[in-house]
Amino acid sequence: MTEEGNIISVSIEDEMRGAYIDYSMSVIISRALPDVRDGLKPVHRRVLYGMLDLGVYHNKPYKKSARIVGEVLGKYHPHGDSSVYETMVRMAQEWSLRYPLVDGQGNFGSIDGDSAAAMRYTEARMSRLAEEMLADLEKEVVNFEPNFDDSLTEPSVLPARLPNLLVNGTSGIAVGMATNMAPHNLTEVVEGIIAYIQNPDISIAALMEYVKAPDFPTGGIIYGYQGVRKAFETGRGRIVLRAVANIETDKNGREQIIVTEIPYQVNKAVLIEKTAALVNEKKIEGISAIRDESDREGLRIVYEIKREAMASVVLNQLFKYTSLQSTFSVNNVALVKGRPATLNLKELIKYYVEHRHEIVVKRTQYDLRKAEERLHLLEGLLKALEVIDLVIATIRSAADADTAKQMLMGKLALDLQSRFFEGVEMPQGFVFSFTDVQAKNILETRLQRLTGMERAKLQAEYDELLKTIAYYREILADKVLRMKIIVDELQGLKDKFGDKRRTQIEHDGQEIEMEDLIPDEEMVITISKAGYIKRTPLIEYRAQSRGGTGAKGVTTKEDDFTEHLFIASNHNYILIFTNFGKVYWLKAYEVPEGAKTSKGRPLQNLIAIENGEMVQAVINVKTLSDEDYINNHYLIFCTQKGVIKKTALEAYSRPRQAGINAITINQDDSLLDVQLTDGDSHIVAAVNSGRAICFHEGDVRAMGRGATGVKGIYVEDQERVVGMVCIKQASQNLLVVSEKGYGKRSDIEEYRITKRGGKGVTTLKITEKTGDLVSIKAVTDNDDLMIIKKSGVMIRFSVSELRLMGRATQGVKLINLPEGDAIASVAKVENIETEDDLNAEAAAPEIAPDSSEEVAE
């Protein structure tokens, strides 16, 4: 604080953060999200309570909407009048709410998107169901809170005998969250709630036997049940809705498509307008005319079909390109004890039942208190009737009403000498003992209650009240009885307002995917160095005995060879990573099928790779939809500068046609390799100078898709990483190859495990004779090795022909190289037991004659 004491320094960042959090919480709690108990937002609740104040019940005359809006604005909702009026209008629209809460008279809009008439022209009153929402409000069953200026109070929640949140749903956009809850059929919801009350441990699947699916006010067809099931189980789901359309033939023999119901929240006029535009653009063909024949009897859209067109084909086009098929994204977010929560079907029912149970308890307590108060008054009256002459004489002798009350309460002595007591027989030592309220009630009682019939009525009322009070006390002592009351009230709602479903359910209506038409067979996928890809049925590779002559394999260019080869089923995903750090997706069945001898198709014809992009790694993934699988498998990335990154497979589980950035690559770096692990592998990375490091992948924390990664191995300026392998199987060995044809196979256990980021140990002694290290591979005896020289010559031989050697050796000469030639790259090819070799050209390996040479470090 300054010397003047009136300026306080505040961080603008802290102030903005605090102000924004306050604003967002205000929007979440006081505007956009419904309360789980009554399913209403504050504005809806205030509209109904304002109408209750005005007394516009369903059986009373309508009042002008402007009068209702003014009541709500002036007393409870100090916002724009349009927000209140539009809320009231929506509550009156039968195509917006499954069970409208406002009974409107006048123009309240249309399904074509027409707005309602001005509030000075329309009239409204509560619907019968709205009164069920407000029932028992006067019995102190809910808390009341001050309005905006503390001049009045308003209910914080309504008693809500109607399960409004389930039957009418809601939608709203808050700050950082939103809600979109579907409406349901009242009959089904009541049956579901009763089933829950009878068995609180009931499963969601069992509840779905009663609450079958959402029931939208505009009808339509729920096309496929998977989205419904997911929404009920998790609170989130995507429901496909279709219009009800039938193909008919007119009197001229021409086919017509007649639409009688459209999906929820679809604007009919916009639907017709956009369909006409698609017809004009030739995107939808076969429609000669569109007519809107809707009237008071219901909705009817007619599509005239051209004579040469097939109506069924046109209908499928309409479903595909127009809003005749749309989706409703369920997001069940509501306020539970003031906090937003995503709720499944059972939780929605549970919180409603808890609320109604609380209402029944408070209502019974209120009724019990009132009954006991009435019983007390009746006791006073009956007691007074027994000594009515004394009571009358006492009242007549009193100077005023207050004195009479005091005398009846026994607080003033009776004047036995008064003339009013002459002839009245006084019991010995008699004193009145009425309570304050009894004495007041006696004084206010009319003389007609002194008749014999009235006395009998009082006694009958007294006896009945005793039974009622006993019943109330029984209710408060027995939860089972309270639950029975809730069930009876719900049954009454069902009998009075229950109706049939409007929305049909087509359980097997999911769209046929291409995958469903393709058998899940094992295929051999090959990608060549030049980027040619194909798939071949595994059955084409028939097993061949030892000593066979082989057969012609894949046809490639002279300077090309198969770099990636693996077995995948047709339904598997193939993730293709490029040197730019991008990833592309292909379904195995999307790879063109080719014969064993064919070259394949260029990869750029299948995925949108850029110029200069080269395939660095290919990952075969079983599924991208199994959450357990994608959250417990990881991709390990390695760059030429020694950067290692680990990311959960889940981050790459949403395919994009144009591909996405899989890793952020520094400007002077490029992606080298990608491996799929289950989180329990050892990572080995090697640099061209002959060093290699081995560490557990647990040393690398999982990070986001856009991250760069962390240092895996120390790399000097003139060095680069030449390979990275992830080893888990003890049977795997580490194979290293040098630039001048030297290589060896070593046991992985010879590489001590260290922390990431170090220099590592020697994996191959680099000399002028060997040249730089060019490749490392994790291999087994079943693998083949493909080596390509810089001159373009390729050889292939089995790894089993190389014996195990120590880590600290120079290795053996794998291949004879002419002077000036060197090894360009090395690829490991999975050795499939085949009848024919995958590559006949590699049938005779070019192993150097001095391959037994082994030099110690």
Side-chain angles (χ1 to χ4, degrees):
M1 187 177 292
T2 64
E3 294 180 1
E4 292 78 4
N6 57 359
I7 299 177
I8 300 176
S9 297
V10 178
S11 167
I12 189 169
E13 181 180 348
D14 293 341
E15 185 67 19
M16 290 183 68
R17 182 184 294 111
Y20 190 74
I21 290 174
D22 291 344
Y23 163 72
S24 63
M25 290 306 298
S26 174
V27 172
I28 290 169
I29 296 173
S30 302
R31 187 183 303 177
L33 298 185
D35 192 296
V36 72
R37 295 169 292 179
D38 62 5
L40 298 175
K41 303 175 190 177
V43 64
H44 299 87
R45 195 176 297 118
R46 288 165 178 168
V47 167
L48 293 180
Y49 188 60
M51 297 176 82
L52 179 68
D53 275 354
L54 286 174
V56 282
Y57 297 99
H58 80 277
N59 53 357
K60 297 293 179 64
Y62 292 92
K63 275 198 185 304
K64 283 289 185 183
S65 298
R67 176 70 179 87
I68 299 171
V69 171
E71 177 82 5
V72 176
L73 284 181
K75 289 184 175 181
Y76 311 114
H77 198 72
H79 299 278
D81 57 358
S82 61
S83 66
V84 176
Y85 184 52
E86 288 171 7
T87 296
M88 192 175 76
V89 165
R90 186 175 184 277
M91 292 168 74
Q93 292 174 339
E94 59 181 16
W95 60 90
S96 294
L97 262 66
R98 182 64 176 83
Y99 299 93
L101 300 177
V102 172
D103 179 9
Q105 181 169 269
N107 177 12
F108 275 78
S110 73
I111 199 171
D112 287 329
D114 300 320
S115 58
M119 67 180 80
R120 61 183 179 274
Y121 299 119
T122 62
E123 297 178 336
R125 62 185 178 188
M126 286 190 290
S127 69
R128 295 175 66 189
L129 273 169
E131 293 177 15
E132 297 292 341
M133 293 290 295
L134 296 158
D136 302 323
L137 190 60
E138 74 283 357
K139 294 186 177 182
E140 302 173 5
V141 291
V142 298
N143 294 328
F144 278 69
E145 54 191 22
N147 69 339
F148 61 89
D149 63 357
D150 288 349
S151 61
L152 298 167
T153 59
E154 59 179 314
S156 58
V157 67
L158 296 187
R161 186 176 295 169
L162 173 77
N164 180 61
L165 189 58
L166 277 163
V167 299
N168 274 329
T170 189
S171 64
I173 300 174
V175 178
M177 62 183 66
T179 184
N180 198 35
M181 305 182 71
H184 297 80
N185 182 269
L186 177 60
T187 301
E188 293 182 0
V189 168
V190 167
E191 291 174 351
I193 295 173
I194 292 174
Y196 170 82
I197 291 173
Q198 293 172 347
N199 177 21
D201 295 325
I202 189 172
S203 65
I204 294 177
L207 280 174
M208 289 167 62
E209 296 293 324
Y210 302 96
V211 187
K212 296 178 174 60
D215 189 25
F216 298 98
T218 55
I221 300 171
I222 292 176
Y223 195 66
Y225 201 68
Q226 187 62 34
V228 174
R229 183 179 292 106
K230 187 175 180 181
F232 281 161
E233 291 175 348
T234 67
R236 299 174 66 94
R238 182 173 172 271
I239 298 174
V240 178
L241 293 173
R242 275 190 170 184
V244 174
N246 297 300
I247 298 173
E248 300 177 1
T249 304
D250 64 9
K251 59 184 179 181
N252 296 321
R254 298 182 63 175
E255 287 187 316
Q256 297 176 325
I257 296 174
I258 311 297
V259 174
T260 54
E261 296 175 9
I262 59 177
Y264 184 49
Q265 294 177 335
V266 169
N267 185 308
K268 176 164 62 70
V270 172
L271 165 68
I272 294 172
E273 181 182 343
K274 288 187 176 180
T275 304
L278 290 171
V279 171
N280 292 333
E281 294 168 4
K282 306 295 183 184
K283 196 164 186 178
I284 297 178
E285 297 182 350
I287 296 178
S288 59
I290 305 174
R291 295 193 308 275
D292 183 3
E293 298 181 355
S294 305
D295 54 19
R296 291 175 180 265
E297 299 299 320
L299 184 143
R300 179 180 170 91
I301 306 172
V302 179
Y303 298 88
E304 294 280 357
I305 307 302
K306 295 179 180 178
R307 291 191 181 278
E308 66 274 12
M310 291 182 62
S312 58
V313 174
V314 174
L315 181 57
N316 284 333
Q317 290 179 343
L318 289 171
F319 285 141
K320 183 174 183 179
Y321 296 114
T322 74
S323 297
L324 285 185
Q325 177 171 308
S326 64
T327 59
F328 185 91
S329 297
V330 175
N331 186 21
N332 293 340
V333 178
L335 295 174
V336 180
K337 298 178 181 177
R339 293 175 177 269
T342 302
L343 308 168
N344 59 35
L345 174 63
K346 185 175 179 179
E347 289 168 335
L348 287 170
I349 293 175
K350 169 192 167 188
Y351 288 120
Y352 168 77
V353 172
E354 287 179 355
H355 175 58
R356 285 305 299 169
H357 179 263
E358 183 179 349
I359 295 297
V360 170
V361 169
K362 290 184 176 180
R363 181 183 67 193
T364 306
Q365 290 171 342
Y366 177 88
D367 289 339
L368 176 61
R369 187 175 74 251
K370 292 297 183 183
E372 288 175 339
E373 291 173 358
R374 177 61 180 166
L375 184 71
H376 185 60
L377 294 178
L378 288 176
E379 286 175 343
L381 286 175
L382 291 172
K383 185 177 173 183
L385 288 174
E386 292 177 0
V387 288
I388 189 63
D389 293 339
L390 288 176
V391 171
I392 293 174
T394 300
I395 295 173
R396 291 179 63 191
S397 68
D400 51 38
D402 187 60
T403 302
K405 187 173 77 168
Q406 295 296 323
M407 292 172 70
L408 290 174
M409 293 171 62
K411 293 185 177 181
L412 293 178
L414 296 176
D415 184 1
L416 299 180
Q417 303 303 316
S418 172
R419 62 187 177 88
F420 296 108
F421 283 88
E422 293 178 2
V424 178
E425 184 180 348
M426 286 289 297
Q428 184 69 29
F430 177 82
V431 178
F432 286 123
S433 59
F434 295 109
T435 64
D436 182 278
V437 292
Q438 286 177 332
K440 184 179 179 182
N441 184 56
I442 290 169
L443 292 171
E444 292 174 350
T445 301
R446 299 173 64 179
L447 290 176
Q448 71 178 27
R449 305 301 296 272
L450 302 179
T451 63
M453 185 177 293
E454 288 294 325
R455 290 186 182 192
K457 285 183 179 178
L458 287 175
Q459 186 63 49
E461 184 183 355
Y462 179 83
D463 294 338
E464 188 64 32
L465 264 179
L466 287 175
K467 296 178 183 177
T468 302
I469 289 171
Y471 176 64
Y472 289 152
R473 288 174 177 164
E474 185 182 358
I475 292 173
L476 294 174
D478 187 356
K479 185 176 180 179
V480 174
L481 183 55
R482 296 196 293 271
M483 288 299 177
K484 183 180 183 303
I485 291 171
I486 296 174
V487 169
D488 292 341
E489 291 177 349
L490 287 169
Q491 195 67 48
L493 279 176
K494 173 186 169 184
D495 295 340
K496 192 183 295 184
F497 303 106
D499 56 3
K500 294 182 180 179
R501 286 190 63 87
R502 296 183 187 176
T503 304
Q504 305 170 37
I505 305 171
E506 195 166 324
H507 289 268
D508 301 323
Q510 295 291 357
E511 291 188 21
I512 297 176
E513 300 286 346
M514 180 68 71
E515 193 170 296
D516 298 328
L517 305 177
I518 297 174
D520 195 16
E521 297 176 346
E522 297 286 298
M523 309 294 288
V524 177
I525 309 288
T526 59
I527 303 177
S528 74
K529 181 71 175 178
Y532 287 85
I533 186 171
K534 69 169 184 174
R535 65 184 168 102
T536 306
L538 182 61
I539 197 172
E540 285 200 19
Y541 295 91
R542 301 178 303 275
Q544 179 186 24
S545 59
R546 286 176 59 85
T549 59
K552 185 170 179 57
V554 60
T555 302
T556 60
K557 297 180 181 178
E558 290 185 1
D559 58 347
D560 196 10
F561 70 96
T562 299
E563 185 173 33
H564 304 280
L565 182 148
F566 53 90
I567 298 174
S569 74
N570 273 328
H571 294 181
N572 283 13
Y573 269 102
I574 301 172
L575 275 61
I576 300 172
F577 297 87
T578 69
N579 57 325
F580 286 7
K582 294 189 70 175
V583 60
Y584 300 88
W585 291 265
L586 274 178
K587 274 286 194 178
Y589 63 77
E590 294 175 340
V591 176
E593 187 172 344
K596 182 158 53 77
T597 57
S598 66
K599 182 172 62 176
R601 289 269 298 278
L603 198 56
Q604 58 264 33
N605 291 355
L606 304 178
I607 58 176
I609 59 175
E610 304 174 19
N611 291 333
E613 272 192 290
M614 296 183 297
V615 176
Q616 292 296 114
V618 180
I619 303 295
N620 174 30
V621 177
K622 294 179 181 178
T623 177
L624 292 179
S625 58
D626 185 342
E627 291 193 9
D628 183 63
Y629 181 84
I630 63 178
N631 285 309
N632 291 289
H633 281 77
Y634 302 89
L635 293 176
I636 307 294
F637 297 79
C638 179
T639 73
Q640 289 191 348
K641 290 295 184 180
V643 174
I644 299 288
K645 190 184 89 160
K646 175 182 176 182
T647 304
L649 180 60
E650 189 276 335
Y652 307 92
S653 62
R654 291 168 285 277
R656 299 290 184 272
Q657 189 172 3
I660 60 172
N661 288 327
I663 180 176
T664 300
I665 302 288
N666 293 328
Q667 189 171 0
D668 59 343
D669 203 357
S670 66
L671 182 64
L672 180 69
D673 197 5
V674 184
Q675 299 282 337
L676 179 68
T677 75
D678 61 1
D680 190 28
S681 297
H682 286 89
I683 300 172
V684 180
V687 296
N688 60 327
S689 62
R691 292 185 289 106
I693 191 170
C694 179
F695 55 90
H696 194 274
E697 69 169 286
D699 291 348
V700 184
R701 64 177 178 84
M703 53 193 75
R705 179 172 60 81
T708 302
V710 295
K711 182 184 291 187
I713 184 171
Y714 175 77
V715 178
E716 296 181 354
D717 291 341
Q718 72 278 11
E719 293 180 330
R720 61 182 176 82
V721 177
V722 295
M724 182 264 299
V725 297
C726 296
I727 297 179
K728 184 174 182 180
Q729 299 176 358
S731 60
Q732 286 185 305
N733 306 131
L734 193 67
L735 185 141
V736 295
V737 181
S738 74
E739 185 179 21
K740 294 187 177 179
Y742 281 81
K744 65 177 179 182
R745 184 163 64 120
S746 304
D747 196 318
I748 188 62
E749 292 183 358
E750 294 199 19
Y751 293 81
R752 72 175 185 271
I753 299 173
T754 64
K755 294 293 183 182
R756 65 170 180 81
K759 289 187 175 182
V761 297
T762 300
T763 186
L764 184 72
K765 185 177 180 182
I766 300 300
T767 64
E768 186 177 346
K769 182 179 179 180
T770 63
D772 285 351
L773 185 66
V774 295
S775 177
I776 65 168
K777 301 290 179 185
V779 297
T780 66
D781 287 343
N782 295 325
D783 293 328
D784 286 355
L785 208 63
M786 181 79 74
I787 298 178
I788 181 170
K789 307 176 186 178
K790 288 185 178 178
S791 61
V793 178
M794 293 171 292
I795 69 159
R796 174 177 172 178
F797 59 88
S798 174
V799 170
S800 61
E801 298 182 29
L802 294 175
R803 62 185 176 85
L804 285 173
M805 301 179 189
R807 175 182 62 78
T809 60
Q810 179 178 280
V812 298
K813 199 166 189 180
L814 302 179
I815 183 172
N816 284 323
L817 293 174
E819 189 168 344
D821 204 354
I823 291 178
S825 63
V826 179
K828 180 183 74 171
V829 178
E830 184 178 350
N831 186 10
I832 308 171
E833 290 188 5
T834 63
E835 182 176 342
D836 302 328
D837 274 335
L838 289 176
N839 199 335
E841 291 83 353
E846 191 180 339
I847 300 294
D850 58 343
S851 60
S852 62
E853 177 184 356
E854 181 176 340
V855 182
E857 183 178 356

